[in-house]
């Protein structure tokens, strides 16, 4: 378990309390504390009432069919997510309201009104149809943060083709595996993207991936870079976006989707080397995303809202694209890095666009903290009224800094716990109601039945810790792992019985019932808020011809939360030197992507193992973090770890 700067006992004694500012309570979307009780008393009635806020083509027959662990929500209902995000706004006065204010890394600006977005989505939906994409076909999207990215997602939703977005920081090989797993027919990409002034050659990665993807028929490419990123064009397969939308009809009939029809697949790391294709469906997902956006971020009509995530992660799906657009919110979309051209880019943008609500990750806050307060201090941040955090536990120090230096002591902070699998926020303050404590995600949202249980599945009394579970289904829950329903049941619905969702996180509750998330309890690492499995990185390492064996751990890191440390045994005759360290790091980047680059690589003649041959990662973590070794009695050979420790200490 990982908690960056304090032992948990210190956290539970947290005495600093931040009640909601009066102004916020007075005007909040949710100001009635009875909502929690009402939801708990009759969850189905609660969710049904909430679902009235969506536009349905056909109303549902039943709110929920629950055959654990299989849930179906709003059974018999029909709707289209793009209609909910666009058509209903375009019909009324929001037509000319900004949907996205986009800024490219080099500095270009583009504002898309809801009408603009609607037009582009309709056109691209028709373009995809013309390329042979039909309802149910999967589409892989590998794009930079440019307007065409949300346009592509919404166009897929409009024609009922589930999208699978692959983050642009993944390698060609990772992309290939995800395309093949989803059996995508179409890939949407760009010639390249900008990152810290450099060009990331996306199309080149697509070309490499597609050498082994027979399922792909067509590739659409956005011209983002132009001459500086020349691309190889396969005339039978590749088409430029701007050509694809030429002469297509301006209107595309939205596909009436069943509540339970798939909306998207999103790959995330589990405890094995193979990522899981988390499948989300239509009705429940858009309800979860829109409702939580409205309540947790207290979305107001006049808001300028900015979630700094990448759309390649679930945070971007739910809180850049679907939630905010369903609520008719104006969102900022930024292509690049926070420290380009200088470390005040974000704050310059907050001031420039008058951002009111800002949502980011603890790793970013810690980086900004390290750069120093002079960067935010240079800009007028007085428009901010609410701040959010997501992706990993936020340490109280970072929370306080965020509160004081960015929120200027004025803005409530919502620390939101959720996962790719939960689809939307599960545990979070409600800004007008909840008194917050620095470092606690506070309480489960109304209708969310979270608990902390021990090894045997018994609820742990307040003051104690254990495993975080969700004991009742919720609308935006994942429905399955694409193509592997068995793994879905085994991973989430077995450990504590088939009625109980096992999140994979450790959690404590204090005497007042506040939830304190403690990090993963499995072999999943959280590197700068990005989820990676130790096994994934290990198998990338052993793929190198000179590596015999590898063990990977997430080592505490002041900025990233966790950083990757690899312990490697080389094959006979291979030499572990500085050059080899470099080579192995590069190899992992090539296999998985830059996000998986190990921070440190250590060579060792042997790895510490139990008598049954299991690598004891816990001891490796002790070594890497410079602690005394924990219990070593189950080791097959205790000298291995002792040697490793002294070797490590020598540097
Ligand atoms: C894992 C899910 C869903 C948003 C982005 C990450 C960790 C997420 C928090 C938080 C403590 C958090 C958990 C979780 N996590 N938010 N507020 N406090 N931990 O999505 O990639 O699916 O990762 O991120 O460990 O299981 P993800």
């Amino acid at each position: 378990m990982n908690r960056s700067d304090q032992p948990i006992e210190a956290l539970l004694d947290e005495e600093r309390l931040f009640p909601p500012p009066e102004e916020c309570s007075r005007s909040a979307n949710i100001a009635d504390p009875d909502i929690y009780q009402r939801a708990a008393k009759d969850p189905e009635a609660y969710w049904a009432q909430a679902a009235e806020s969506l536009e349905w083509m056909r109303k549902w027959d039943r709110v929920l069919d629950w055959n654990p662990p299989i849930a179906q929500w709003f059974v018999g209902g029909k709707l289209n997510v793009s209609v909910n995000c666009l058509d209903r706004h375009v019909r009324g006065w929001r037509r000319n309201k900004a949907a996205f204010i986009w800024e490219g890394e080099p500095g270009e600006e583009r504002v898309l009104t809801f009408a603009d977005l609607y037009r582009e989505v309709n056109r691209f939906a028709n373009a995809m149809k013309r390329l042979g994409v039909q309802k149910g076909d999967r589409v892989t999207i590998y794009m930079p943060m440019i307007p065409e990215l949300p346009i592509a997602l919404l166009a897929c939703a409009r024609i009922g083709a589930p999208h699978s977005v692959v983050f642009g920081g993944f390698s060609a090989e990772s992309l290939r595996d995800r395309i093949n797993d989803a059996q995508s027919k179409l890939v949407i990409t760009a010639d390249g993207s900008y990152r810290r002034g450099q060009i990331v050659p996306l199309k080149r990665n697509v070309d490499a991936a597609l050498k082994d993807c027979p399922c792909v028929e067509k590739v659409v490419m956005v011209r983002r870079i132009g001459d500086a990123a020349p691309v190889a064009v396969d005339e039978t397969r590749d088409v430029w976006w701007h050509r694809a939308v030429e002469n297509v009809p301006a209107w595309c009939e939205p596909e009436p989707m069943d509540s339970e029809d798939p909306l998207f697949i999103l790959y995330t790391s589990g405890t094995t080397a193979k990522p899981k294709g988390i499948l989300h469906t239509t009705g429940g997902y858009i309800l979860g995303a829109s409702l939580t956006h409205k309540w947790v971020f207290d979305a107001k009509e006049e808001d300028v809202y900015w979630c700094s995530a990448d759309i390649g992660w679930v945070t971007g799906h739910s809180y850049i694209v679907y939630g905010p657009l369903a609520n008719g919110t104006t969102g900022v979309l930024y292509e690049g890095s926070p420290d380009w051209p200088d470390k005040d880019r974000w704050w310059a943008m907050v001031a420039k666009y008058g951002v009111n609500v800002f949502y980011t990750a603890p790793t970013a806050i810690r980086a900004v903290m390290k750069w120093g307060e002079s960067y935010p201090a240079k800009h007028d941040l007085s428009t901010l009224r609410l701040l959010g955090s997501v992706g990993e536990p936020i340490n109280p120090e970072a929370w306080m800094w965020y509160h004081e230096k960015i929120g200027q002591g004025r803005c409530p902070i919502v620390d939101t716990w959720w996962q790719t699998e939960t689809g939307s926020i599960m545990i979070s303050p409600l800004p007008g109601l909840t008194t917050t404590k620095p470092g606690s995600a506070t309480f489960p949202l109304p209708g969310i039945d979270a608990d902390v249980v021990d090894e045997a599945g018994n609820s742990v009394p307040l003051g104690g810790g254990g495993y975080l579970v969700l004991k009742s289904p919720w609308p935006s829950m994942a429905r399955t792992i694409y193509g592997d329903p068995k793994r879905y049941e085994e991973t989430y619905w077995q450990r504590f019985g088939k009625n109980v969702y096992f999140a994979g996180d450790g959690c404590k509750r204090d005497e007042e019932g506040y939830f304190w998330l403690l990090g993963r309890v499995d072999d999943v690492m959280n590197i700068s808020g990005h989820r990676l499995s130790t096994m994934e990185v290990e198998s990338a390492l052993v793929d190198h011809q000179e590596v015999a064996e590898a063990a990977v751990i997430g080592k505490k890191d002041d900025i990233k939360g966790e950083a990757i440390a690899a312990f490697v045994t080389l094959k006979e005759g291979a030499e572990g030197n500085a050059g080899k360290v470099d080579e192995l790091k590069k190899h992992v980047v090539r296999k998985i992507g830059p996000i998986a680059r190990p921070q440190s690589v250590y060579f060792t003649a042997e790895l510490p193992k139990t008598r049954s041959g299991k690598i004891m990662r816990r001891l490796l973590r002790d070594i890497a973090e410079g602690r005394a070794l924990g219990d070593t009695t189950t080791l097959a050979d205790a000298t291995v770890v002792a040697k490793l420790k002294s070797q490590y200490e020598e540097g």
Side-chain angles (χ1 to χ4, degrees):
M1 289 190 198
N2 156 60
R3 258 285 177 184
S4 335
D5 60 356
Q6 288 190 40
I8 184 66
E9 288 66 30
L11 288 171
L12 294 193
D13 289 337
E14 179 62 65
E15 276 171 1
R16 287 169 293 192
L17 296 178
F18 294 84
E22 220 174 277
E23 159 80 31
C24 177
S25 299
R26 207 170 29 236
S27 62
N29 291 339
I30 292 298
D32 177 8
D34 285 348
I35 185 90
Y36 289 96
Q37 262 192 352
R38 244 187 300 139
K41 214 151 103 206
D42 190 350
E44 287 192 29
Y46 165 80
W47 291 119
Q49 198 196 350
E52 299 282 355
S53 67
L54 298 172
E55 184 169 305
W56 296 84
M57 293 165 169
R58 181 186 186 278
K59 198 172 166 171
W60 60 88
D61 302 314
R62 289 183 308 284
V63 176
L64 171 66
D65 279 352
W66 178 222
N67 303 302
I70 304 302
Q72 296 198 301
W73 284 91
F74 307 109
V75 183
K78 290 206 179 285
L79 74 168
N80 184 287
V81 165
S82 80
V83 169
N84 275 276
C85 291
L86 299 170
D87 302 43
R88 59 176 173 157
H89 306 313
V90 166
R91 274 183 232 125
W93 71 267
R94 288 198 190 105
R95 184 174 180 77
N96 295 318
K97 176 178 175 175
F100 284 121
I101 301 170
W102 174 75
E103 197 169 295
E105 194 184 74
E108 318 94 307
E109 284 170 43
R110 187 174 162 197
V111 176
L112 286 101
T113 64
F114 278 93
D116 293 332
L117 194 58
Y118 171 78
R119 186 180 57 245
E120 299 297 331
V121 166
N122 273 274
R123 289 172 70 204
F124 192 66
N126 280 326
M128 281 196 290
K129 279 187 173 176
R130 205 161 63 176
L131 290 169
V133 180
Q134 294 173 355
K135 179 178 177 178
D137 289 342
R138 275 80 57 214
V139 174
T140 294
I141 300 177
Y142 185 64
M143 285 171 83
M145 288 279 285
I146 54 177
E148 286 81 359
L149 174 54
I151 291 167
L153 268 69
L154 291 159
C156 284
R158 196 161 190 90
I159 66 175
H163 53 72
S164 162
V165 182
V166 177
F167 174 58
F170 278 115
S171 67
E173 286 193 30
S174 297
L175 176 63
R176 174 199 65 196
D177 293 347
R178 286 159 174 76
I179 291 170
N180 283 332
D181 189 80
Q183 287 289 295
S184 292
K185 206 169 175 178
L186 178 74
V187 174
I188 308 170
T189 189
D191 50 0
S193 98
Y194 292 104
R195 189 76 193 170
R196 289 202 180 88
Q198 302 284 313
I199 292 167
V200 184
L202 294 174
K203 174 61 164 56
R204 207 198 297 156
N205 289 348
V206 170
D207 289 339
L210 293 193
K211 291 205 175 94
D212 298 304
C213 298
C215 52
V216 173
E217 293 170 12
K218 295 282 176 193
V219 174
V220 176
M221 339 166 257
V222 177
R223 196 196 294 276
R224 165 71 187 116
I225 310 284
D227 294 343
V231 296
V233 178
D234 175 339
E235 296 292 345
T236 63
R237 187 193 71 188
D238 303 345
V239 33
W240 288 106
W241 176 295
H242 56 273
R243 291 250 179 260
V245 295
E246 269 172 12
N247 307 316
V248 295
W251 159 256
C252 173
E253 186 74 35
E255 199 63 44
M257 302 297 282
D258 195 277
S259 289
E260 284 298 333
D261 277 337
L263 177 64
F264 66 84
I265 300 166
L266 186 58
Y267 287 86
T268 189
S269 293
T271 52
T272 70
K274 189 180 181 316
K276 306 176 281 196
I278 300 299
L279 183 99
H280 281 286
T281 58
T282 302
Y285 172 80
I286 192 63
L287 173 61
S290 59
L291 191 70
T292 51
H293 173 259
K294 181 142 206 145
W295 288 8
V296 173
F297 300 107
D298 197 31
K300 295 284 159 49
E301 191 65 73
E302 61 277 17
D303 272 348
V304 176
Y305 160 89
W306 184 10
C307 166
S308 76
D310 192 288
I311 292 174
W313 309 105
V314 74
T315 307
H317 281 58
S318 299
Y319 298 107
I320 295 178
V321 183
Y322 291 119
L325 291 178
N327 291 326
T329 302
T330 297
V332 172
L333 192 65
Y334 171 53
E335 179 186 35
S337 173
D339 55 354
W340 187 267
D342 204 352
K343 298 183 175 67
D344 64 343
R345 181 65 178 269
W346 277 1
W347 318 121
M349 286 178 61
V350 166
K352 183 169 169 192
Y353 302 117
V355 172
N356 306 110
V357 177
F358 183 66
Y359 189 29
T360 194
T363 183
I365 299 164
R366 289 191 299 263
V368 166
M369 226 169 121
K370 197 180 111 193
W371 297 337
E373 57 187 275
S374 66
Y375 291 101
K378 269 197 257 180
H379 299 279
D380 177 5
L381 306 182
S382 63
T383 52
L384 288 172
R385 68 171 176 86
L386 182 62
L387 300 173
S389 170
V390 64
E392 56 180 308
I394 178 164
N395 46 311
E397 195 195 349
W399 196 103
M400 288 303 300
W401 197 90
Y402 197 28
H403 182 70
E404 284 164 10
K405 306 297 182 217
I406 306 300
Q408 303 175 328
R410 175 184 71 239
C411 309
I413 295 181
V414 289
D415 172 10
T416 61
W417 179 88
W418 61 296
Q419 310 176 295
T420 306
E421 293 87 341
T422 69
S424 62
I425 297 168
M426 298 282 105
I427 303 179
S428 165
L430 286 174
L433 281 178
T434 315
T435 292
T436 54
K437 299 182 183 182
S440 168
T442 73
F443 306 106
L445 290 177
I448 302 304
D449 187 10
D451 199 0
V452 175
V453 299
D454 63 18
E455 209 63 62
N458 302 310
S459 186
V460 173
L462 296 188
Y467 303 100
L468 179 67
V469 295
L470 300 170
K471 289 184 160 169
S472 308
W474 64 99
S476 67
M477 63 200 270
R479 298 302 194 264
T480 192
I481 293 174
Y482 189 74
D484 200 349
K486 213 171 123 238
R487 187 174 177 195
Y488 174 70
E489 299 196 6
E490 287 168 359
T491 309
Y492 307 108
W493 302 95
Q494 205 170 63
R495 179 120 181 209
F496 300 110
K498 64 180 180 358
N499 282 298
V500 177
Y501 174 83
F502 170 55
D505 278 286
C507 187
K508 279 204 176 194
R509 274 179 306 196
D510 64 22
E511 297 294 342
E512 292 173 296
Y514 281 73
F515 284 65
W516 297 83
L517 276 304
L518 303 173
R520 303 288 307 193
V521 294
D522 51 15
D523 291 328
V524 171
M525 297 178 289
N526 192 327
I527 315 294
S528 301
H530 297 153
R531 208 162 133 179
L532 275 174
S533 107
T534 52
M535 295 268 291
E536 243 172 312
V537 182
E538 284 165 9
S539 71
L541 284 165
V542 297
D543 177 81
H544 187 278
Q545 54 181 10
E546 286 172 305
V547 173
E549 203 175 17
V552 162
I553 55 141
K555 168 191 172 181
K556 266 188 205 160
D557 183 274
D558 285 347
I559 302 287
K560 297 176 167 184
E562 286 182 297
I564 299 175
F567 294 82
V568 172
T569 308
L570 293 175
K571 287 182 185 160
E572 208 51 48
E575 200 195 326
N577 49 28
K580 192 72 70 210
V581 167
D582 220 44
E583 194 179 317
L584 292 182
K585 287 183 182 177
K586 283 203 184 111
H587 190 74
V588 174
V589 171
R590 200 157 49 238
K591 297 295 286 185
I592 303 176
I595 57 169
R597 183 194 305 274
Q599 186 180 66
S600 30
V601 176
Y602 301 100
F603 297 109
T604 170
E606 270 179 279
L607 290 166
K609 290 183 187 162
T610 61
R611 272 167 227 117
S612 58
K614 205 170 171 277
I615 295 172
M616 291 194 72
R617 289 203 185 77
R618 172 171 63 75
L619 295 176
L620 294 175
R621 217 169 290 129
D622 289 341
I623 293 175
E625 293 173 3
R627 267 192 309 272
L629 293 176
D631 185 4
T632 56
T633 50
T634 54
L635 281 176
D637 178 359
T639 61
V640 169
V641 70
K643 225 162 84 196
L644 194 54
K645 189 167 167 59
S646 58
Q647 181 189 332
Y648 192 96
E649 278 158 4
E650 282 155 24

